[in-house]
């Protein structure tokens, strides 16, 4: 499933490091797809993606596509921000429970006051230097 | 060998560190040495009895590194058991005590010091946050969104209000009762009485937490003197005997990738149960609890997880005065992180100072009458882990 994408001018304030392994995740997100790893034997999804299954410790993992649909578990607005994010403050962040049973964190984009337990959809925030994961409500 | 606390001393919590460009600098060695000498005078034993020193790791800001071994030289203090610096974010002070207690229990040390200094207020807050945002969450999958350490607690508050119907005002009442305690504590950073209206009127820091619901910036230094019980008994002065200890790390960092009840503070619940069991007590037997809780909501949730108040009623209990001065179960009679003050990497050690004052009957106007049994808790992450110690008074 392809996520909605939003263009964001400028570079990410605090860009994530990318490894040879996690580059698969970031390249997919840049194309509007949310993926993570699953243990081949355990069948269990993990997030963030890892070169092993944290539940079974097997090294054989495969990439799996996620729907990007979930519910809002919690959220906040950061007013007192670190220097690197100060130009964006106040800004929203959130915790989301994906329908595949994974809890993740991201930026939150919404026009009205967010509603806990209501649905959200993942979105790819496309900055000049790469993507970040966001959620829309 | 049962670990006992026979002495304690601390700097008043406050802003001690000079700005980087000041002509006169604050030297960590001078501040901590003074506290060590005071603590040993309080304990009433000679420095030659000290076999172990466990330091909480310092912040990155003071210039001297390998501070523990530096201080062994500065204080002319050889050690036969151990000398180490330990770290665990907010749990750092608790872990320093824990490791020192281990040296007593193993019979390697007669007297051990758990000590540390946290200097950070010379660094502007936004710059400090550039550093501390890397201490919580995942630097690649969380930090890029701008999470700060206390933003995780703020999300606890949002979820808690949604689940229980608790109001922001009820949660904020923790700040009022913390200040009421701190007004009676000479070590406290903020001692001017506060009203609930004052707390609710402050600017937002991270929603729904305003300025007075999150910790201020602070420096501090602490030294706790531990001893084996035969040493403690020989002093003929009141001391604290360790009755129980519990620890639990839930194997998750900030958020659990497997969705769970984030506000249940499962690690605190498990560590608390383990400590109560070892001490052979029920939570209701405690006379007080000194809890590491940087924000109002943190104290609410920890008080529930440690079974000091019923689940879902922590905020209401605080608002009703149950955890304040004269209440059913006083929590953080020092004034806690919000008013005693929060120099994070020694905050855990300040908890032992308060327990030493209360259980030796020296807490002045904030003395809890006939305090016999007290609990101390430290945590890291968003209570992803908890470390609990229970002490009884021996007089």
């Amino acid at each position: 499933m392809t996520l909605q994408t939003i263009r964001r001018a400028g570079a990410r304030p605090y860009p994530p490091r990318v490894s040879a392994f996690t580059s698969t995740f970031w390249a997919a997100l840049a194309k509007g797809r949310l993926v993570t790893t699953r243990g081949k034997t355990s069948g269990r999804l993990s997030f963030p993606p890892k070169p092993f299954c944290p539940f079974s410790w097997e090294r054989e993992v495969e990439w799996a596509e996620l729907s990007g649909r979930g519910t809002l578990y919690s959220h906040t607005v950061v007013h007192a921000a670190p220097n690197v994010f100060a130009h964006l403050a106040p800004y929203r962040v959130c915790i989301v429970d994906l329908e595949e049973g994974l809890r993740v964190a991201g930026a939150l984009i919404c026009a009205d006051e967010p509603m806990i337990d209501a649905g959200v959809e993942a979105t790819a925030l496309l900055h000049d230097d790469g993507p970040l994961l966001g959620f829309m409500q | 060998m049962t670990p006992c606390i026979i002495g304690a001393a601390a700097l008043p919590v406050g802003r001690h560190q000079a700005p980087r460009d000041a002509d006169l600098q604050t030297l960590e060695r001078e501040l901590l040495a003074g506290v060590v000498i005071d603590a040993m005078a309080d304990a009433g034993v000679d420095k030659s009895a000290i076999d172990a020193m466990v330091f909480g790791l310092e912040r990155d800001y003071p210039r001297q590194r390998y501070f523990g071994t530096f201080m062994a030289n500065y204080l002319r203090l050889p050690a036969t058991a151990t000398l180490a610096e330990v770290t665990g974010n907010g749990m750092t002070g608790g872990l320093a005590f824990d490791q020192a207690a281990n040296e007593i229990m193993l019979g390697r040390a007669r007297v051990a010091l758990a000590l540390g200094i946290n200097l950070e207020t010379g660094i502007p807050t936004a710059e400090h946050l550039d550093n501390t945002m890397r201490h919580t969450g995942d630097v690649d999958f969380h930090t890029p969104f701008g999470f700060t350490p206390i933003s995780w607690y703020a999300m606890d508050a949002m979820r808690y209000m949604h689940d229980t119907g608790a109001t922001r005002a009820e949660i904020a009442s923790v700040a009022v009762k913390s200040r009421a305690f701190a007004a009676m504590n000479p070590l406290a950073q903020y001692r001017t009485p506060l009203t609930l209206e004052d707390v609710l009127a402050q600017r937002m820091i991270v929603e729904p937490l305003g300025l007075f619901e999150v910790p201020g910036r602070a420096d501090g230094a602490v030294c706790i003197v531990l001893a084996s019980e035969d040493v403690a008994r020989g002093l003929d002065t009141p001391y604290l005997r360790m009755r129980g200890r519990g620890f639990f790390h839930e194997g998750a960092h900030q958020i659990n990738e497997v969705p769970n009840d984030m506000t249940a503070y499962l690690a605190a619940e498990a560590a608390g149960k383990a400590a109560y069991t070892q001490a052979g007590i029920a939570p209701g037997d405690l006379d007080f609890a000194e809890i590491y809780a940087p924000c109002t909501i943190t104290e609410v949730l920890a008080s529930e997880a440690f079974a000091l108040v019923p689940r879902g009623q922590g905020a209401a209990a605080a608002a009703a005065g149950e955890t304040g001065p004269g209440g059913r179960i006083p929590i953080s009679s020092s004034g806690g992180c919000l008013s005693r003050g929060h120099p994070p990497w020694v905050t855990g050690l300040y908890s032992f100072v308060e327990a030493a004052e209360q259980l030796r009957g020296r807490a002045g106007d904030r003395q809890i009458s006939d305090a016999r049994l007290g609990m101390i808790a430290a945590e890291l992450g968003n209570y992803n882990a908890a470390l609990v110690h229970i002490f009884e008074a021996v007089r």
Side-chain angles (χ1 to χ4, degrees), chain B residues 2-6 94 97-98 101 224-227 239-245 275-276 278-279 281 285-290 348-349 351-356 358-360 371-377 387-394:
Chain B
T2 303
C4 299
I5 295 177
I6 59 170
F97 179 87
D98 207 48
I224 307 293
V225 185
L226 296 81
Y239 62 94
L240 286 68
R241 179 196 289 134
M242 194 165 114
R243 278 274 299 266
R245 184 260 191 196
Y276 297 145
Q278 192 176 87
I281 65 164
D285 296 331
L286 291 170
D287 296 306
F288 67 91
E290 188 72 23
L349 284 171
S351 299
F352 294 92
V353 176
E354 180 65 10
Q358 290 289 354
L359 291 176
R360 293 186 295 173
R372 293 275 155 190
L373 210 50
M375 179 260 247
I376 290 172
L387 176 60
V388 176
H389 294 95
I390 294 172
F391 295 94
E392 67 179 333
V394 182

Side-chain angles (χ1 to χ4, degrees), chain B residues 4-26:
Chain B
C4 299
I5 295 177
I6 59 170
L11 278 187
V13 178
R15 291 176 174 262
H16 298 287
Q17 192 182 34
R20 277 176 296 210
D21 57 358
D23 288 337
L24 292 180
Q25 290 294 302
T26 314

Side-chain angles (χ1 to χ4, degrees), chain A residues 14 16-17 22 25-26 44 46-50 54-55 72-85 91 93-95 97 101-107 116-117 132-133, chain B residues 125-130 133-134 138-148 151-152 154-159 162-163 203-208 255-263:
Chain A
Y14 191 76
R17 298 169 302 172
T22 61
F25 171 86
W26 296 108
R44 295 195 68 171
S46 178
F47 193 90
K50 304 167 183 70
F55 301 98
L72 185 67
Y73 183 75
S74 196
H75 63 94
T76 185
V77 180
V78 178
H79 292 257
N83 262 340
V84 292
F85 292 98
Y91 52 86
V93 290
C94 66
I95 297 171
D97 288 344
L102 289 171
R103 179 166 289 174
V104 303
I116 287 178
D117 284 344
L132 286 177
L133 180 62
Chain B
T125 299
E127 181 183 337
H128 178 61
L129 282 169
D130 281 348
M133 72 180 186
R134 296 162 50 210
D138 178 322
V139 292
D140 299 315
F141 287 87
H142 297 156
T143 312
F145 307 114
F147 288 104
T148 59
S151 67
W152 302 100
M155 290 189 290
D156 282 342
M158 287 293 197
R159 184 74 209 185
H162 174 81
D163 286 345
R203 66 185 166 90
M204 276 294 152
I205 299 298
V206 55
E207 296 183 21
I255 56 173
N256 194 326
E257 67 190 298
V258 181
N260 64 353
D261 182 353
M262 190 170 84
T263 64

Side-chain angles (χ1 to χ4, degrees), chain B residues 86-98:
Chain B
V86 300
T87 181
N89 213 1
M91 194 181 277
T92 297
L95 285 172
F97 179 87
D98 207 48

Side-chain angles (χ1 to χ4, degrees), chain B residues 12-374:
Chain B
V13 178
R15 291 176 174 262
H16 298 287
Q17 192 182 34
R20 277 176 296 210
D21 57 358
D23 288 337
L24 292 180
Q25 290 294 302
T26 314
L27 299 190
E28 58 279 14
R29 59 187 70 174
E30 295 175 359
L31 291 181
L32 188 58
V35 170
V36 171
I37 291 167
D38 287 349
M40 286 299 287
D42 183 38
V45 292
D46 188 76
K47 78 194 264 269
S48 61
I50 297 170
D51 297 317
M53 286 168 275
V54 184
F55 294 79
L57 188 69
E58 269 194 298
R59 288 287 190 195
D60 302 334
Y61 309 124
R63 186 174 291 181
Q64 184 72 51
R65 299 281 82 192
Y66 288 123
F67 185 58
T69 184
F70 175 87
M71 286 302 288
N73 169 75
Y74 196 65
L75 291 161
R76 301 301 309 171
L77 200 52
T80 56
T82 196
L83 190 162
E85 295 175 66
V86 300
T87 181
N89 213 1
M91 194 181 277
T92 297
L95 285 172
F97 179 87
D98 207 48
Q99 295 300 310
N102 287 346
E103 295 301 323
I104 304 285
M105 277 193 283
L106 288 166
R108 293 198 294 226
R110 296 160 294 163
V111 173
L113 304 182
L115 68 173
I117 183 164
N118 181 104
L119 294 181
E120 61 170 66
T121 63
I123 310 299
T125 299
E127 181 183 337
H128 178 61
L129 282 169
D130 281 348
N131 176 314
T132 59
M133 72 180 186
R134 296 162 50 210
H135 296 189
T136 57
D138 178 322
V139 292
D140 299 315
F141 287 87
H142 297 156
T143 312
F145 307 114
F147 288 104
T148 59
I150 56 174
S151 67
W152 302 100
Y153 299 119
M155 290 189 290
D156 282 342
M158 287 293 197
R159 184 74 209 185
Y160 183 78
M161 291 192 293
H162 174 81
D163 286 345
T164 66
T167 63
R168 185 188 160 217
E170 285 176 322
I171 296 170
S173 71
V174 171
V176 180
K177 74 95 190 148
S178 297
R179 187 61 64 89
F181 274 130
M184 300 181 280
N185 183 0
L187 291 178
Q189 183 175 18
Y190 302 108
R191 302 182 61 189
T192 311
L194 270 186
T195 66
L196 184 59
E197 290 67 36
D198 294 332
V199 179
L200 296 175
Q202 301 307 307
R203 66 185 166 90
M204 276 294 152
I205 299 298
V206 55
E207 296 183 21
L209 305 175
L211 182 66
F212 291 171
E213 293 178 85
V214 303
R217 303 285 310 287
D219 305 315
V222 184
C223 179
I224 307 293
V225 185
L226 296 81
S228 60
E229 190 152 21
D230 53 347
V231 171
R233 220 180 271 122
L235 296 171
D236 208 28
T237 51
Y239 62 94
L240 286 68
R241 179 196 289 134
M242 194 165 114
R243 278 274 299 266
R245 184 260 191 196
F247 176 85
F248 190 75
H249 193 297
E250 62 176 329
H253 184 61
Q254 239 65 55
I255 56 173
N256 194 326
E257 67 190 298
V258 181
N260 64 353
D261 182 353
M262 190 170 84
T263 64
Y265 284 7
L266 298 170
E269 186 185 346
K273 275 185 182 158
Y276 297 145
T277 300
Q278 192 176 87
I281 65 164
D285 296 331
L286 291 170
D287 296 306
F288 67 91
E290 188 72 23
I291 292 177
Y292 183 103
C295 303
T296 48
I297 183 63
T298 326
E299 182 171 309
V300 167
L301 297 181
S303 69
E304 295 181 8
F306 290 126
L308 303 173
V309 298
R311 185 82 213 282
Q313 293 174 40
E322 287 187 38
T323 59
R328 179 180 61 79
I329 174 69
I331 294 180
S332 295
S333 54
S334 64
C337 291
L338 294 170
S339 283
R340 186 270 327 280
H342 184 44
W345 292 2
V346 293
T347 289
L349 284 171
Y350 274 93
S351 299
F352 294 92
V353 176
E354 180 65 10
E357 295 293 86
Q358 290 289 354
L359 291 176
R360 293 186 295 173
R362 307 193 326 190
D365 291 343
R366 70 186 190 289
Q367 180 66 47
I368 295 157
S369 65
D370 199 30
R372 293 275 155 190
L373 210 50

